[in-house]
Amino acid sequence: MLEQGTISIHTENIFPIIKKSLYSDHQIFLRELVSNAVDAIQKLNMVSRAGEYSGEIGEPEIEIAIDKNNKTLSITDNGIGMTADEVKKYITQVAFSSAEEFIQKYQGKSDQPIIGHFGLGFYSSFMVAQKVQIDTLSYKEGSQAVHWTCDGSPEYTLEDSPRTTRGTTITLTLQEEEEEYLESSRIKNLVKTYCDFMPVPIKLEGEVLNRQKAPWRESASSLSKEDYLEFYRYLYPFQEEPLLWVHLNTDYPFIINGILYFPKMKPDVDVTKGQIKLFCNQVFVSDNCEEIIPQFLVPMRGVIDSTDIPLNVSRSALQTDRTVRKIGDYIAKKVGDRLKEVYRGDREQYISIWKDLSTFVKFGVLNDDKFKKQVEDIIIFRTTAKLSEKTADTPAVQVQSDEGDAWQDVTPQTADSTPQSPYTTLKEYLERNKERHENRVFYCTDAATQATYVELHKNQGLEVLFMDSFIDTHFINFLEQEYKDVKFTRVDSDLDNTLLDKDKGSEIVDPGTNKTRSEVVKELFEKALNKPRLNIRTEALKSDDPQGTPPAMVLLPEILRRLREMNAMMQQQSAEFPEDHILLVNTAHPLIQNLANLNQGSIIQGDGQSPTGQLVNMICQHVYDLALMSQKGFDAEGMKSFVERSNEVLTKLTEQAAK
């Protein structure tokens, strides 16, 4: 026996070491031991390049072996090995990491970095082992192989070993409750999870378990589109193809490599939960890294690998500091640069994926002023405008070119070959419409429920922007801060004078009272509906085809609607539709004109209204309900009343038609 001694624990520069609570997850012991084995191989490469070793390096490899009979698990490398003095220095003095000292001496002598920096990884083995043995032979000429043994107490033994091959073998005699690590399937799964991209073959029973090649360490020019897609499919199997990706690669002022993907956004995607995998020198650390990624990019997927991200002792949690913030800023800038690159170089692709991209972009603009300045000119909106003659039948996607005001057709075809609607920037919208309605933006938040209002604007040549993503409610407020002299008006909040025919509806229709058509219709609806807080307006909507316009529309003033939505958000409840709203009755519509004529012909009987008068009242209520549908859904009682009234109206109309 060469020596018997006591392990020296340096508590002044590490967290207190407790054998069974060094790491929160026992299974990472394999990651730590394999990482140390990779380090040993990289160190051998470094001393060889420095001319301090002239022997054969051979093919690097790490061999994992399982012995179920003896309940042992071993990890063997053909790396640099250790002398007895090095074992005493680097193993028996916990937290004295050989990696730090080695890097300083051989910096620049290897393409691959040293993984370990803590000096604690080896001791993670005692979380699962009742005894740990080291059998090692140094690369140094004339070295004597040594054997180190420890049963998890501060006591160890160090003695000569008969080993004749350079390298190190760590053998764990597993605790009874940790015998799951004697199953080859368990080991394979752990290697795939933690060590898949380590640059050395890792073998079990002769089978190579890891991929070794880390695409994010390659240059972007060396990877094809299929390479990026294949990597995404490997990381996230059974997912839809990503929209696009960003390749990160810099070594100043910090080292960071990675590939980030924009996934397709689905309703069930939790935008607050990250899926970006964090690596440190190709060693898997964590399934997410929200502390590094700006909040608006958390839904992205992919890999970030950096030695400059400060980790705690277990390499599984981040310590927020200035470097982390700088890395976050760098990532946001690279994402912005990539978006601009696609916008300028492949607008067809940009427009085709904008629906999914817009969530990232708008959220980023709302939360990051630097990012906002990067992308504010490439935020686009779907529009009702026909931007060229050829769009009369099938609207094409068009974006203004850099060279001038000409609009170039970049219509992407969807899977069913149906062209998408045109898109435009807000600045282009304002410039295009400054003569018709300067500094005013008409917008729609729900293409289905607001279709009538949108069509009304289109028919009178008013361009409408679709701001219909869930984030647009907040984004409109932001735009109003950016464009302080611009008024944003939702299509169902009020009607521009351009849409109204002020001459119609003013003609006298009741010579006895000198009442105009508008006055007669207003009184008719006020009496039928009997809602004191309902503001009934009578206007004639402009149209070449009055039958194609709505007979009535419910309007909710912009300010009132926004206050309602804000209060609902603050109280964390759904917004109730207010009793104070506007019913605009279209006096130019044939239904309303017929209703007024029908009312004039009704006869008041002794016991109340005539059947015709009752029908007029029901039709007024029915017209109101139809208009209300675009603003709110009916509850169970409201829907029941609507259906019953519909049936009753139809019954009475068919009775009159049958006479």
Side-chain angles (χ1 to χ4, degrees):
M1 182 179 296
L2 294 178
E3 182 175 326
Q4 185 169 358
T6 302
I7 294 171
S8 173
I9 300 178
H10 291 205
T11 56
E12 69 271 15
N13 63 340
I14 62 167
F15 296 113
I17 296 177
I18 303 173
K19 185 179 66 173
K20 294 228 173 187
S21 60
L22 175 61
Y23 294 85
S24 57
D25 193 348
H26 285 195
Q27 68 183 19
I28 57 83
F29 82 91
L30 189 68
R31 177 190 72 184
E32 298 300 311
L33 295 181
V34 173
S35 296
N36 288 346
V38 173
D39 280 352
I41 291 171
Q42 302 301 347
K43 288 177 182 179
L44 182 64
N45 289 332
M46 293 167 103
V47 297
S48 177
R49 292 187 182 188
E52 296 181 16
Y53 179 64
S54 57
E56 289 293 326
I57 293 179
E59 291 295 322
E61 67 174 26
I62 297 168
E63 181 70 41
I64 300 175
I66 295 172
D67 185 340
K68 289 188 176 183
N69 292 329
N70 293 311
K71 299 181 180 180
T72 62
L73 175 71
S74 64
I75 295 94
T76 301
D77 68 69
N78 57 354
I80 198 169
M82 289 181 286
T83 63
D85 287 341
E86 288 169 337
V87 170
K88 287 188 286 183
K89 183 176 182 180
Y90 301 131
I91 299 297
T92 66
Q93 297 186 64
V94 179
F96 190 95
S97 174
S98 62
E100 297 287 358
E101 181 182 8
F102 203 91
I103 287 173
Q104 292 178 7
K105 181 176 180 181
Y106 294 102
Q107 194 165 17
K109 299 295 192 301
S110 175
D111 295 332
Q112 292 291 341
I114 301 298
I115 295 171
H117 288 270
F118 299 110
L120 290 171
F122 168 75
Y123 276 84
S124 66
S125 57
F126 286 101
M127 294 190 300
V128 298
Q130 56 182 297
K131 182 172 73 172
V132 179
Q133 302 174 67
I134 301 175
D135 198 56
T136 183
L137 175 61
S138 172
Y139 76 99
K140 296 177 181 176
E141 190 173 347
S143 293
Q144 169 62 48
V146 294
H147 185 84
W148 181 92
T149 305
C150 180
D151 62 2
S153 70
E155 304 296 324
Y156 72 87
T157 60
L158 185 65
E159 55 192 345
D160 288 342
S161 164
R163 183 186 184 106
T164 58
T165 57
R166 184 198 69 240
T168 300
T169 298
I170 309 291
T171 302
L172 312 183
T173 303
L174 295 174
Q175 300 169 22
E176 186 175 344
E177 63 270 25
E178 304 289 351
E179 290 181 9
E180 63 183 276
Y181 301 111
L182 295 175
E183 299 298 329
S184 59
S185 59
R186 185 77 167 103
I187 298 302
K188 288 179 180 180
N189 180 264
L190 291 179
V191 170
K192 179 178 174 61
T193 299
Y194 293 107
C195 314
D196 209 13
F197 299 100
M198 290 185 182
V200 176
I202 302 169
K203 298 180 179 180
L204 175 64
E205 299 170 354
E207 177 188 355
V208 177
L209 305 181
N210 61 326
R211 291 167 65 95
Q212 302 167 56
K213 179 182 177 182
W216 65 86
R217 304 279 304 207
E218 306 289 322
S219 66
S221 59
S222 68
L223 297 175
S224 66
K225 176 182 177 181
E226 187 55 35
D227 290 330
Y228 285 108
L229 291 177
E230 191 276 334
F231 183 50
Y232 184 83
R233 296 177 195 127
Y234 177 74
L235 293 176
Y236 309 100
F238 311 113
Q239 299 293 314
E240 290 188 70
E241 300 286 71
L243 304 174
L244 73 158
W245 46 86
V246 183
H247 198 127
L248 309 173
N249 190 344
T250 186
D251 55 10
Y252 181 82
F254 38 73
I255 297 173
I256 185 168
N257 296 279
I259 301 173
L260 300 182
Y261 296 87
F262 287 95
K264 281 188 69 66
M265 298 298 290
K266 293 185 175 181
D268 60 348
V269 171
D270 185 352
V271 296
T272 66
K273 185 177 180 180
Q275 295 191 56
I276 297 174
K277 300 178 186 295
L278 177 61
F279 284 72
C280 180
N281 283 336
Q282 296 166 241
V283 180
F284 176 74
V285 174
S286 174
D287 257 327
N288 59 72
C289 45
E290 284 97 335
E291 297 91 339
I292 304 170
I293 299 294
Q295 188 180 11
F296 69 95
L297 296 178
V298 164
M300 293 186 76
R301 296 174 180 173
V303 166
I304 288 178
D305 188 337
S306 176
T307 55
D308 287 329
I309 296 174
L311 304 173
N312 68 6
V313 166
S314 67
R315 307 188 193 183
S316 59
L318 296 173
Q319 301 166 346
T320 303
D321 69 352
R322 186 177 300 176
T323 301
V324 169
R325 290 193 296 272
K326 287 182 178 179
I327 289 174
D329 290 342
Y330 166 78
I331 293 171
K333 182 181 183 304
K334 291 294 289 184
V335 168
D337 289 343
R338 176 69 171 129
L339 292 174
K340 289 193 295 184
E341 175 189 348
V342 177
Y343 177 83
R344 292 167 179 165
D346 191 345
R347 289 176 181 159
E348 179 175 340
Q349 181 194 9
Y350 185 83
I351 293 169
S352 67
I353 61 179
W354 173 250
K355 183 177 180 180
D356 293 280
L357 276 183
S358 63
T359 302
F360 293 100
V361 175
K362 291 174 183 176
F363 192 43
V365 167
L366 291 173
N367 290 276
D368 188 318
D369 194 57
K370 292 179 181 177
F371 184 75
K372 181 201 79 174
K373 289 181 171 59
Q374 267 192 290
V375 303
E376 58 187 353
D377 292 332
I378 63 172
I379 297 171
I380 57 177
F381 302 91
R382 191 161 59 93
T383 176
T384 59
K386 294 181 179 180
L387 302 175
S388 71
E389 289 298 319
K390 64 188 289 185
T391 64
D393 296 319
T394 54
V397 175
Q398 299 186 333
V399 178
Q400 193 171 23
S401 65
D402 293 335
E403 290 73 23
D405 294 333
W407 290 79
Q408 55 186 24
D409 186 359
V410 288
T411 308
Q413 299 294 314
T414 57
D416 59 0
S417 297
T418 302
Q420 297 179 1
S421 300
Y423 279 77
T424 185
T425 66
L426 182 57
K427 288 181 179 179
E428 292 159 350
Y429 173 96
L430 292 170
E431 178 64 25
R432 198 160 50 248
N433 294 287
K434 64 181 180 181
E435 293 184 3
R436 289 184 62 84
H437 47 84
E438 186 172 14
N439 290 340
R440 189 170 184 185
V441 175
F442 298 104
Y443 69 95
C444 162
T445 58
D446 190 320
T449 61
Q450 296 164 20
T452 300
Y453 303 87
V454 171
E455 195 63 28
L456 195 63
H457 284 70
K458 284 174 59 180
N459 289 341
Q460 296 305 316
L462 298 180
E463 183 178 353
V464 177
L465 296 183
F466 291 89
M467 300 182 176
D468 49 6
S469 70
F470 72 91
I471 198 173
D472 278 334
T473 300
H474 307 288
F475 199 67
I476 291 167
N477 294 331
F478 163 79
L479 291 174
E480 288 178 325
Q481 294 297 316
E482 293 293 301
Y483 298 85
K484 294 187 181 298
D485 57 344
V486 176
K487 180 181 180 182
F488 288 76
T489 305
R490 205 167 87 173
V491 289
D492 60 349
S493 64
D494 203 351
L495 297 184
D496 187 77
N497 287 334
T498 310
L499 305 174
L500 305 176
D501 190 338
K502 293 297 184 180
D503 295 330
K504 286 187 178 180
S506 60
E507 69 272 21
I508 303 296
V509 294
D510 189 344
T513 60
N514 279 339
K515 290 182 178 179
T516 64
R517 183 183 301 279
S518 292
E519 291 170 335
V520 169
V521 170
K522 183 175 182 179
E523 288 180 1
L524 190 61
F525 274 83
E526 285 177 340
K527 179 182 177 183
L529 299 178
N530 191 27
K531 292 181 178 291
R533 296 176 64 176
L534 176 64
N535 179 9
I536 298 176
R537 284 173 47 191
T538 50
E539 302 278 3
L541 300 181
K542 282 184 181 178
S543 177
D544 295 332
D545 177 22
Q547 182 66 46
T549 60
M553 307 171 75
V554 168
L555 304 175
L556 191 60
E558 188 84 11
I559 295 177
L560 179 62
R561 191 195 72 253
R562 292 197 193 185
L563 286 173
R564 175 179 64 107
E565 291 172 349
M566 184 182 300
N567 289 334
M569 182 178 65
M570 293 176 65
Q571 296 173 16
Q572 296 185 334
Q573 61 185 26
S574 58
E576 296 292 331
F577 192 77
E579 291 187 49
D580 297 292
H581 55 273
I582 299 168
L583 175 65
L584 187 144
V585 182
N586 178 14
T587 57
H589 196 282
L591 172 60
I592 303 303
Q593 294 177 355
N594 293 341
L595 198 60
N597 294 335
L598 189 64
N599 181 67
Q600 284 183 316
S602 64
I603 301 174
I604 303 297
Q605 297 178 345
D607 59 349
Q609 278 189 322
S610 67
T612 301
Q614 292 175 354
L615 177 60
V616 167
N617 277 351
M618 282 193 292
I619 292 176
C620 287
Q621 293 173 36
H622 204 67
V623 167
Y624 172 62
D625 278 350
L626 289 171
L628 199 60
M629 281 183 176
S630 65
Q631 291 281 8
K632 65 183 288 286
F634 290 139
D635 56 20
E637 186 60 35
M639 180 57 70
K640 179 174 177 289
S641 298
F642 175 74
V643 171
E644 289 176 350
R645 188 186 311 111
S646 300
N647 293 331
E648 193 172 354
V649 167
L650 291 173
T651 300
K652 289 184 178 296
L653 289 175
T654 53
E655 284 176 353
Q656 291 196 6
K659 290 180 181 179

